[in-house]
Amino acid sequence: MTAEIPPIISVDDHVIEPPHLWHEWLPGRYREAGPRVVRAPYEMVPADGWPFRMAASGPETDWWVYEDLRYAVVVGMASAGRKPAEIGKEPVGYDQMRPGFYDPGARLADMDVNHVERSLCFPTFPRFCGQTFYEAKDKELALACVHAYNNWMVEEWCGDSGGRLIPLCLIPLWDIEFAAAEVRRNAARGVRAVAFSELPAKLGLPSLHDARRPWDPLLRACEETATVVCMHIGSSSQFLTTSADAPTSVRIAITAVNSQMAMADWLLSGVLARFPALKVAFSESQIGWMPYLFERVDRVWRMGNAASGLPPEITEPPSSYVAGRVYGCFFEDDFGLASRHAIGVDQITFESDYPHQDTTWPNTRAYAEQAMKDIPAADVERIVRTNAIRMLELPPSLAG
């Protein structure tokens, strides 16, 4: 017997930005210097790091050109519909992609195939929380690029989708006051999600523990506008691994360690106590590890060790700040589903991860039917749908 799966709301998918984005959405004075796509050769690089680079000759692909950056999409980031044996380390051009990767109309058709009603999409060229623009030299141009991306996201990517495509916006990470203003600007037009780094200190930014509390203006803006702080794995621009010679499979297997470290920051920094209505989401984090971390941080708090440096504002067990506010997200995690009551059923959200190599597309419903076959229908409804509605303050159903 399989579970009956209601229309899915996926809180973690991805968009490959179309080549025209910054050319059309940047103000005219910035367009020549803004990100643009060119066709050029590439060569594979037999070393650690990005597996290919622009070359003088060889096979061609599409490259994003921005300041000194030359970026092409690796096939693992744009692989929905490919067989596993076809997913290597080479780049993939737009002529090799499904139109649903970058075209909103085609995306909706691919969502229909997958029983996905609504979808929240993270960026690709800007990276998961806009690190590309944070690292840019010309910050005036970078700020304009962030604004242009957000305008495109709201008006073009999501604008004609009838609410099926849910906007997720970027912030200028290098200027917290500007970031807070951008949250408020987008919230005024209905945006309820912003991308942030899982481990900002790894990017050279202040941590959540910084005694100066530099992130407070941003966090206050998010709390006051009911904007969810969404942290995708890899939004610290790095993944842990065990050794220099460990294969990529090791890094892939332990990616959720980043989310575990990030959640420890949020639960032990005092931020959730200072901002009692703030909501955070750990995107593509999987969920099976969450009960142990809740147990562990609560024990650290109960011990009250003077050397632990616990902020005085944490007056309750850290896990008490989770309900209704801290969300995990999974695409395939049977153990996590079995542990749903230890996590809190209301804190679990679902995704398809389209079009990445981990995507369950076009079989997301089939996975859910099998994995949730022994779960009560009310819990299934919450996990695949209503928790996302509550988290993002979405309408319960789509008009028309």
Side-chain angles (χ1 to χ4, degrees), residues 15 18 125 197 252 268 283 288 346:
V15 60
F125 170 72
S197 176
I252 293 172
L268 294 173
S283 307
D346 289 336

Side-chain angles (χ1 to χ4, degrees), residues 30 33 66-67 133 135-144 174:
Y30 295 116
Y66 173 57
E67 294 192 336
F133 301 122
E135 294 167 0
K137 298 180 182 68
D138 184 340
K139 287 300 190 285
E140 180 183 332
L141 172 60
L143 180 61
W174 61 92

